Amino acid sequence: MKLEIENLSVALEGRDILRGVSLRMEEGEFLSLLGPSGCGKTTLLKTVAGIIAPRSGGIRLDGEDLTGLPPHKRGVVILFQDIRLFPHMTAAENVSFPLRMQGAGRRERLERAEELLSRVRLPGYGSRRVGSLSGGERQRVALARALAAKPRLLLLDEPFSALDENLREDMRALVLSLHREFHMTTVLVTHDREEALSMSGRVALLFDGAVEQCGTPREVYLHPATRRAADYFGGCTCLDGEVRGGLFHCSLVTLPASLPEGRYTLCLREQMWRPAGNGPYALTVKEVRFRGPETMVALAAEDGTLFHKRFPGPAPFQAGDVLRFHLDVGDPVLFPREEGL
């Protein structure tokens, strides 16, 4: 289903939560809403689901105006972080509950429930009580219940955040597999940057109730629209300089820049630093932190600018080592200088 959100604004208890949010999704698309806590991600999801009424703006699904419809008439299902299963029901009864509300017979309901439990890798779990299930199993039951409702639009509100890392990765893979199988238009709310980048066709980055940038994972990471967007993903160092005569000049590097003359900030991602024995840049190791599959190394340039770079495995460096690098800037990311930053 095609989702269109137009200039949506929401105020709660006299405070603006969403400010003129506009987003469009194609049928079968997977979009992540990413941003810091309190930026309005969950409020946006609840407004689309009909739980919160907007102050202004509109929501359309396949051209149908949802703005004035109650939640149960929108064909939208929202899966919350706290799962909200019925504790007095079995897994199959929980999954079949939407079918019961649609008037399906008991046999049809339970057969469909068992089929969906198998789809979420819980075959034979239908008779189990919710209280006997692990956190990951309960999350799968909740996902199967969401699928049973045959939603036009599936909304996921940080569904993996309460799980440990291994279970989170399993659930991400399962959700993506089911998304492809059912071709559902899906919106995921998350504050996990890696999760958003790895799962989504597009990412919408929210700050202070407004969309800062929306694009593919590569676009929002490699070509941030603002300094704030660049900083949010981390792994970057910003250098102040000036554009003069078609060149950007700073203490570390001079680059071509097709921009009006003035003061700018250059964003350098850590992957732009390529280790090379004959590289022109000598960086001094300041700190080494081993993280198992990778080692995070803090490096300082001659002017004192500090960079951070990850190396695979137990990198054999120690404080004081001097490493040489090439700097592959490629298409430089430059922002007009923001005073005070």
Side-chain angles (χ1 to χ4, degrees):
M1 295 291 175
K2 184 177 181 179
L3 175 66
E4 297 171 280
I5 300 171
E6 292 286 350
N7 202 28
L8 197 70
S9 294
V10 173
L12 299 175
E13 299 179 352
R15 185 168 67 93
D16 289 335
I17 307 298
L18 297 178
R19 299 181 291 108
V21 171
S22 294
L23 288 169
R24 286 177 172 80
M25 292 180 64
E26 297 301 323
E27 181 176 356
E29 187 176 1
F30 195 115
L31 173 78
S32 284
L33 299 177
L34 179 66
S37 297
C39 71
K41 303 185 299 294
T42 294
T43 297
L44 178 54
L45 226 60
K46 288 182 176 179
T47 306
V48 171
I51 299 170
I52 294 175
R55 181 177 61 189
S56 60
I59 303 165
R60 292 190 298 275
L61 194 57
D62 260 12
E64 179 186 3
D65 187 0
L66 301 185
T67 313
L69 291 180
H72 67 278
K73 291 187 176 181
R74 296 192 176 206
V76 176
V77 171
I78 183 168
L79 181 60
F80 290 101
Q81 174 184 342
D82 57 4
I83 304 176
R84 304 186 184 185
L85 294 174
F86 300 115
H88 62 286
M89 293 183 180
T90 65
E93 288 169 341
N94 266 282
V95 173
S96 65
F97 185 79
L99 300 174
R100 177 181 174 185
M101 300 303 293
Q102 295 167 10
R106 176 177 173 80
R107 180 175 179 179
E108 178 187 350
R109 296 198 309 265
L110 294 180
E111 286 180 352
R112 180 60 174 160
E114 289 294 348
E115 176 188 346
L116 288 170
L117 285 170
S118 294
R119 294 285 185 90
V120 298
R121 303 171 192 166
L122 292 176
Y125 276 62
S127 62
R128 298 197 185 187
R129 293 285 175 179
V130 169
S132 70
L133 303 178
S134 68
E137 289 167 346
R138 287 195 296 270
Q139 193 65 267
R140 293 184 188 189
V141 172
L143 181 58
R145 184 175 66 181
L147 296 175
K150 297 181 179 178
R152 301 165 68 194
L153 175 66
L154 179 62
L155 308 177
L156 305 172
D157 186 19
E158 302 203 53
F160 318 127
S161 59
L163 305 176
D164 65 38
E165 182 56 40
N166 289 336
L167 282 175
R168 280 203 299 271
E169 192 56 43
D170 287 345
M171 283 299 298
R172 290 167 185 159
L174 176 60
V175 166
L176 282 178
S177 174
L178 293 171
H179 168 73
R180 289 189 290 267
E181 179 181 349
F182 288 88
H183 197 61
M184 292 178 298
T185 307
T186 304
V187 182
L188 169 69
V189 159
T190 181
H191 62 270
D192 187 312
R193 299 158 181 80
E194 181 180 336
E195 187 168 273
L197 293 173
S198 64
M199 293 187 69
S200 315
R202 285 191 303 143
V203 175
L205 184 59
L206 271 65
F207 287 109
D208 302 326
V211 177
E212 190 89 355
Q213 184 176 2
C214 185
T216 67
R218 290 180 63 87
E219 287 169 347
V220 297
Y221 182 80
L222 295 176
H223 300 284
T226 64
R227 167 75 183 270
R228 184 160 61 167
D231 287 341
Y232 182 75
F233 284 101
C236 70
T237 300
C238 291
L239 303 175
D240 291 332
E242 295 183 349
V243 170
R244 301 189 305 271
L247 295 174
F248 171 77
H249 304 270
C250 69
S251 60
L252 190 68
V253 66
T254 297
L255 300 167
S258 300
L259 292 167
E261 294 196 353
R263 292 147 61 89
Y264 290 85
T265 298
L266 172 67
C267 172
L268 295 180
R269 292 285 185 198
E270 64 170 290
Q271 66 268 19
M272 296 177 179
W273 292 103
R274 182 165 54 85
N278 61 345
Y281 293 96
L283 304 182
T284 301
V285 175
K286 293 296 184 181
E287 184 182 18
V288 178
R289 285 180 288 162
F290 176 62
R291 294 180 171 180
E294 66 181 20
T295 300
M296 180 65 76
V297 180
L299 301 155
E302 291 182 1
D303 65 356
T305 303
L306 197 64
F307 302 90
H308 291 86
K309 184 168 180 62
R310 282 169 285 197
F311 292 83
F317 308 132
Q318 59 184 359
D321 288 350
V322 176
L323 309 180
R324 303 199 72 88
F325 292 85
H326 281 296
L327 182 58
D328 297 328
V329 176
D331 185 13
V333 177
L334 290 163
F335 309 111
R337 179 99 59 92
E338 298 179 29
E339 300 302 332
L341 291 180

